Amino acid sequence: MAFQPYTPKPITDVFTSGDTDINRRECRRTVPMRVLALGLGRTGTASLRTALVELGFDDCYHMMSASVENPPDCLMWSDALAAKYDGQGTFGREQWDQLFGHCQAICDWPCVAFAKELIEAYPEAKVLVTTRDVDSWHSSTMKTVHWRATEPELRLVAKFDWAAGMYQPMLSKFWTEFWEGDFEKNGKRRYKEYYDEIRALVPKENLLEYKMGEGWKPLCDFLEVPVPEGKKFPRTNDTDGFVDRCRKRNRMQMLNVLFRATVVGGGFAAIVFSASMTIRRFFGSRGTLLS
């Protein structure tokens, strides 16, 4: 899984034209790391990301940075996961600066798998965690990210598509390792253990525990920035629509594959055949994804 070489985005990936193609292994830090938001995903991290950018902590890294914004990031995440869980290679401050040297803040998974490493790498950064009732969090995560990490459709798309081929192996590795092989069984226990680990790593006076709904003031007071005047605290990435968004991306990626096979021509008949067989599993007669 680790050390997969970077390959440029195919020019035929026209159905996901918004995906950028930056090889982070060639990047360096350009802005200071100021905030480590280490709450688990599905605790309001997407909303927090938007809020932090609004407060001037631009950019803020999030799983979406790798999954839908710049897929080659997944290569470095795979390197990091291999170093941590398999003892393959090393991943330290130099590599973190390559991966998100353009960011002043980070949040969400897979960052949370490296909470200790990131706190040690950026001792000057402020640390906060978003929290949530563990039962509602587990239910939300089962319906969204757990589904995404284990869905057969994504595994099939990853066999052919440039972006999915980097994202799916990384997501699967992270999900398996972090939850000790079984999120449904271990999720609630690991949730509690994880937050206890953060509290043990960061002195209470240096840690903000924040729940969605508390508004701007506690966040701004902790970060020592002014409260935005006349702006509501953002709310994004609700559970509703998560599956539909993921399935739409599957469709667009498979359309990329079919278009590439069509453009390349008969010399790649095997690609065309394999992709067509996959499409038959995904699409109905009207071109919509089968449930």
Side-chain angles (χ1 to χ4, degrees):
M1 177 182 128
F3 317 117
Q4 180 181 345
Y6 163 80
T7 57
K9 179 181 179 180
I11 60 173
T12 49
D13 277 14
V14 297
F15 294 95
T16 53
S17 58
D19 293 10
T20 58
D21 180 16
I22 301 169
N23 181 5
R24 299 290 184 201
R25 289 169 175 156
E26 298 180 351
C27 296
R28 298 293 182 270
R29 178 155 296 284
T30 58
V31 293
M33 179 62 73
R34 301 168 63 194
V35 180
L36 303 176
L38 297 172
L40 294 177
R42 307 311 301 175
T43 60
T45 52
S47 299
L48 179 67
R49 181 195 196 192
T50 304
L52 288 172
V53 171
E54 176 66 34
L55 294 174
F57 301 94
D58 191 11
D59 193 6
C60 177
Y61 203 94
H62 185 278
M63 174 63 98
M64 290 186 291
S65 303
S67 63
V68 298
E69 295 172 11
N70 191 63
D73 284 10
C74 296
L75 298 177
M76 290 202 73
W77 280 116
S78 291
D79 292 346
L81 290 164
K84 181 179 179 74
Y85 293 111
D86 302 327
Q88 298 179 11
T90 59
F91 206 96
R93 173 67 183 258
E94 179 183 355
Q95 289 74 32
W96 292 124
D97 281 348
Q98 291 172 340
L99 179 55
F100 33 63
H102 59 296
C103 295
Q104 297 187 62
I106 60 97
C107 68
D108 203 55
W109 26 56
C111 297
V112 296
F114 304 92
K116 183 176 185 293
E117 292 87 344
L118 291 170
I119 290 169
E120 292 175 350
Y122 301 106
E124 69 281 5
K126 291 181 177 291
V127 181
L128 67 95
V129 290
T130 42
T131 64
R132 180 178 179 178
D133 171 75
V134 66
D135 292 322
S136 66
W137 166 82
H138 190 265
S139 176
S140 172
T141 306
M142 281 293 298
K143 297 173 184 176
T144 54
V145 188
H146 177 68
W147 167 83
R148 183 62 164 164
T150 57
E151 66 156 329
E153 290 175 357
L154 179 59
R155 290 198 297 271
L156 284 169
V157 175
K159 294 179 182 294
F160 308 104
D161 179 71
W162 172 77
M166 295 180 282
Y167 170 59
Q168 188 276 331
M170 181 276 292
L171 176 62
S172 179
K173 174 70 172 178
F174 160 69
W175 206 249
T176 298
E177 296 289 354
F178 194 77
W179 305 113
E180 300 174 357
D182 190 336
F183 172 77
E184 186 171 6
K185 175 183 176 182
N186 301 327
K188 293 181 183 181
R189 172 179 59 81
R190 286 290 295 123
Y191 177 101
K192 296 173 183 176
E193 291 174 349
Y194 174 79
Y195 282 97
D196 285 343
E197 290 165 6
I198 298 297
R199 295 179 186 113
L201 287 168
V202 184
K204 185 176 181 179
E205 61 273 18
N206 296 335
L207 176 67
L208 173 67
E209 298 195 27
Y210 181 87
K211 287 186 178 181
M212 288 297 124
E214 292 180 340
W216 289 108
K217 192 175 187 312
L219 181 63
C220 293
D221 287 351
F222 179 73
L223 298 177
E224 301 178 282
V225 295
V227 173
E229 294 185 8
K231 291 190 176 181
K232 292 183 178 180
F233 197 92
R235 181 179 178 182
T236 58
N237 200 22
D238 289 341
T239 300
D240 294 342
F242 182 97
V243 170
D244 288 341
R245 291 193 299 271
C246 291
R247 285 179 167 167
K248 180 180 179 181
R249 184 160 176 84
N250 287 350
R251 290 200 300 272
M252 296 302 101
Q253 289 176 325
M254 286 310 300
L255 288 172
N256 283 338
V257 172
L258 287 178
F259 183 57
R260 182 172 76 247
T262 301
V263 170
V264 169
F268 284 77
I271 295 177
V272 178
F273 176 77
S274 296
S276 298
M277 293 299 291
T278 303
I279 285 289
R280 289 182 64 185
R281 293 194 59 181
F282 284 4
F283 294 90
S285 60
R286 298 182 181 179
T288 56
L289 192 67
L290 294 172
S291 60

